[in-house]
């Protein structure tokens, strides 16, 4: 069984027991999070938006972290313009516990 959920402006295909990194949530490790925005659920056949209006996905927060650094470098030739900037995206690691339909 799998579900497609939306969180942080992105869609994730999850199954029970999966561990995924999602956009940062303001919760402490060990707490439970419920995702209500479920687009589709599939057990033996696929059920989409209208059929899964009451579906939820429950997950446990494992840790908060930051991703590796990405370097953003801007350059314009012949003008001496150089700009170097780094970025580290924050994430929340969650373990999917239960998919309820």
């Amino acid at each position: 069984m799998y579900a497609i959920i939306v969180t942080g402006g992105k869609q994730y295909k999850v199954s029970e027991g999966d561990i995924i990194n999602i956009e940062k949530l303001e919760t402490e490790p060990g707490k439970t999070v419920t995702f209500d925005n479920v687009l589709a659920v599939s057990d033996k056949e696929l059920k989409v938006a209208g059929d899964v209006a009451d579906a939820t996905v429950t997950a446990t927060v494992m840790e908060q972290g930051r991703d590796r650094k990405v370097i953003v470098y801007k350059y314009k030739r012949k003008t001496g313009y150089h700009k170097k900037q780094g970025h580290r995206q924050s994430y929340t690691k969650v373990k999917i516990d239960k998919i309820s339909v």
Side-chain angles (χ1 to χ4, degrees), residues 9-76:
K10 297 178 180 149
Q11 298 176 2
Y12 299 93
K13 179 181 174 184
V14 296
S15 300
E16 291 183 8
D18 284 355
I19 297 173
I20 59 171
N21 291 341
I22 60 174
E23 294 293 319
K24 185 174 181 184
L25 300 174
E26 295 296 328
T27 54
E28 298 95 30
K31 298 281 183 169
T32 306
V33 179
T34 304
F35 301 106
D36 297 326
N37 197 350
V38 179
L39 295 181
V41 174
S42 174
D43 45 0
K44 292 183 180 171
E45 69 178 59
L46 183 67
K47 299 176 190 167
V48 291
D51 300 332
V52 292
D54 57 344
T56 58
V57 175
T58 308
T60 304
V61 176
M62 296 178 69
E63 69 174 282
Q64 302 282 356
R66 295 184 75 190
D67 217 351
R68 63 181 180 83
K69 184 176 274 193
V70 177
I71 303 297
V72 180
Y73 188 74
K74 297 181 180 181
Y75 165 76
K76 292 189 179 178

Side-chain angles (χ1 to χ4, degrees), residues 73-101:
Y73 188 74
K74 297 181 180 181
Y75 165 76
K76 292 189 179 178
R77 63 188 191 135
K78 297 181 184 176
T79 61
Y81 174 77
H82 298 271
K83 186 174 184 181
K84 184 177 179 181
Q85 184 177 3
H87 175 75
R88 290 184 70 188
Q89 185 69 32
S90 299
Y91 68 86
T92 301
K93 183 180 280 192
V94 295
K95 180 177 182 188
I96 306 299
D97 296 328
K98 185 177 176 185
I99 298 174
S100 336
V101 180

